[in-house]
Amino acid sequence: MRLAELLRANTTMQRKALIIGCPDEKIPGVNDDMRNYRAFFESPAGGGWLSSEIKTLQSPSMLEVQREMKELTSADYSIVVFAGHGEYSHDTRSTQLHLGPDIRIDEYMLKEGAPRHTLIIDACRVHSDTPLLEQIKRSSLALASLPDVSLSRMAFDNHLRKCRPDVAVMYACKIGEAAGDSPGQGGTYSSTLLSESREWASNSINQKTGVLSVSEVHALAVPLVYRQRGGRQTPTGVFPRTVPHFPFAICA
């Protein structure tokens, strides 16, 4: 994507990212996920987010989550990442997320936010009436450095401007499944999303397209996660009918 094309567009899109991590002794990889997502977002490949645009909450209270979700509504685009324990409830027909041993929130709470909004849930979705035998996922991967973060920011914002207001939701696994965790890397789904984005951004052939969307990176991750987990984990996503979809990785 040429610099002149990027500079022609207004680049004042307001972004806000919220990373929620709830680690414990069973899923220490959540700590890796919190670091890895922030590092990716701030990298040129991730769109060159500013540190001030990203908020990380570790094992927050429900009130803290509610407050930060309200803050997201002032942005043009928001993305929320949840990493921790979870389970699927047939009563609410939704994924219940664990902020702490006795604190649960409904996934619907995290679907609010800016007019353009993406939600990534890296948590188990086993049925709530069965034992929660899985842990969650996180991953540390060094992302390839591109030369200029400002170009990535412009490309990210310019693509966002083409997207209609809507919500995209990405789950690490389908209902009834548990999400895998790899010690030292993090969640199987999260680490795959980030590694595939890094590899895509470093491939010069993608200079022509410039943007890897949330649905495209999800599509890349699905077969890899399925294979890594021996067919026991199938990521699933719900994306807007209108295109283009929100950006995830940039090759500017």
Side-chain angles (χ1 to χ4, degrees), residues 99-211:
L99 298 181
D102 301 307
I103 306 174
R104 306 283 190 275
I105 61 171
D106 195 293
E107 64 173 283
Y108 293 127
M109 181 185 293
L110 303 185
K111 290 182 179 179
E112 300 174 7
R116 301 169 179 85
H117 183 63
T118 295
L119 170 61
I120 300 175
I121 297 177
D122 197 346
C124 298
R125 301 179 78 199
V126 294
H127 299 289
S128 57
D129 56 351
T130 62
L132 204 56
L133 26 110
E134 265 272 53
Q135 354 177 178
I136 268 149
K137 35 242 118 236
R138 356 275 124 236
S139 175
S140 51
L141 296 160
L143 297 161
S145 280
L146 298 179
D148 193 340
V149 171
S150 63
L151 292 181
S152 295
R153 284 189 63 82
M154 286 190 285
F156 194 100
D157 286 351
N158 290 341
H159 185 83
L160 264 182
R161 198 168 289 106
K162 301 173 186 176
C163 303
R164 294 179 62 85
D166 213 321
V167 59
V169 183
M170 301 155 69
Y171 300 97
C173 57
K174 66 182 182 182
I175 295 170
E177 292 182 340
D181 180 270
S182 300
Q185 281 193 321
T188 305
Y189 180 60
S190 289
S191 62
T192 304
L193 286 179
L194 299 181
S195 64
E196 287 302 298
S197 296
R198 178 206 59 185
E199 184 173 341
W200 176 90
S202 65
N203 190 337
S204 60
I205 197 172
N206 294 316
Q207 298 275 352
K208 294 182 180 179
T209 56
V211 175

Side-chain angles (χ1 to χ4, degrees), residues 44-82:
W49 292 64
L50 302 177
S51 179
S52 59
E53 295 172 326
I54 307 169
K55 184 71 172 284
T56 300
L57 298 179
Q58 181 169 332
S59 301
S61 67
M62 187 177 299
L63 288 177
E64 288 178 298
V65 173
Q66 290 173 330
R67 182 178 65 243
E68 294 303 326
M69 289 302 299
K70 186 175 181 180
E71 286 292 317
L72 299 183
T73 61
S74 64
D76 295 304
Y77 175 68
S78 58
I79 183 167
V80 173
V81 177
F82 177 86

